[in-house]
Amino acid sequence: MNRKLIRPNFTEIKDKIKASEAAKQLQQLQQQQQQQQQQQQPQQQPQQQQQQQPQQQPPQKKAHPPTDTFAENYYYLKQMSKKTPMAVVFHDGQVIEGYIEWYDRNCIKLNRDKGANLLIFKSNIKYMYKLNENKDGQEPEKTDKK
């Protein structure tokens, strides 16, 4: 297979720069001409000046923050890549343990070692949390402090 890299020619870049500089110079000339015309015109009545001036638009309001922060996607991807043991708690209190294989907008697929793999709708999930397990798969020991 013959692959060819696509690289811009330096002459093309120089032409674009020259064109943008020419456009800037043209705008400057137009502004200078407008200023000269305004100075040459006799002073008009205030009513006529108000009619010629464009109406000022109110300042634009600050844009709202985006509705989607992608934090949920980041969390799922992180747990999927590490195959983190998770516990999913449903609205009715039922808890299911496993690790997330994949997700989409409406559901997640939970793989389980001791049972069938499940497709769970996100609308049925109350909350999720990571299971506290050591690398050996044993629960951490509790120590009594006296």
Side-chain angles (χ1 to χ4, degrees):
M1 186 181 333
N2 189 6
R3 294 185 182 173
K4 185 177 183 180
L5 291 176
I6 300 172
R7 292 185 180 167
N9 220 348
F10 285 120
T11 55
E12 292 174 5
I13 295 172
K14 288 179 183 177
D15 291 341
K16 287 181 183 179
I17 293 172
K18 287 180 183 177
S20 65
E21 289 176 357
K24 288 179 185 177
Q25 289 177 354
L26 181 63
Q27 285 179 348
Q28 289 175 353
L29 287 174
Q30 289 175 350
Q31 289 176 355
Q32 289 174 356
Q33 289 175 355
Q34 287 176 357
Q35 289 174 356
Q36 289 175 357
Q37 288 176 357
Q38 289 175 357
Q39 291 174 356
Q40 291 174 357
Q41 290 178 351
Q43 298 223 349
Q44 299 175 346
Q45 295 176 357
Q47 294 175 352
Q48 292 175 351
Q49 287 178 355
Q50 289 176 359
Q51 291 174 357
Q52 288 181 353
Q53 291 179 353
Q55 293 179 355
Q56 293 180 354
Q57 296 178 353
Q60 292 182 352
K61 293 182 179 179
K62 197 172 194 181
H64 292 289
T67 56
D68 197 1
T69 61
F70 303 105
E72 182 182 22
N73 296 344
Y74 177 75
Y75 182 77
Y76 285 136
L77 288 173
K78 186 176 177 184
Q79 305 315 321
M80 286 168 41
S81 65
K82 293 183 178 181
K83 292 193 174 184
T84 307
M86 302 287 295
V88 177
V89 180
F90 292 96
H91 290 291
D92 63 357
Q94 183 181 5
V95 179
I96 297 179
E97 298 176 357
Y99 65 91
I100 300 170
E101 183 178 345
W102 61 263
Y103 72 98
D104 66 4
R105 184 185 306 167
N106 300 319
C107 57
I108 63 172
K109 183 178 179 188
L110 195 72
N111 279 359
R112 301 190 301 169
D113 295 330
K114 300 175 184 175
N117 300 335
L118 300 173
L119 187 66
I120 303 170
F121 283 98
K122 290 181 182 177
S123 59
N124 296 331
I125 298 173
K126 186 174 183 180
Y127 61 91
M128 299 169 47
Y129 61 91
K130 297 179 191 178
L131 293 174
N132 293 330
E133 291 186 3
N134 292 337
K135 293 182 181 178
D136 302 334
Q138 300 172 351
E139 292 185 15
E141 296 179 11
K142 295 181 181 178
T143 57
D144 293 331
K145 294 183 180 179
K146 293 183 181 181

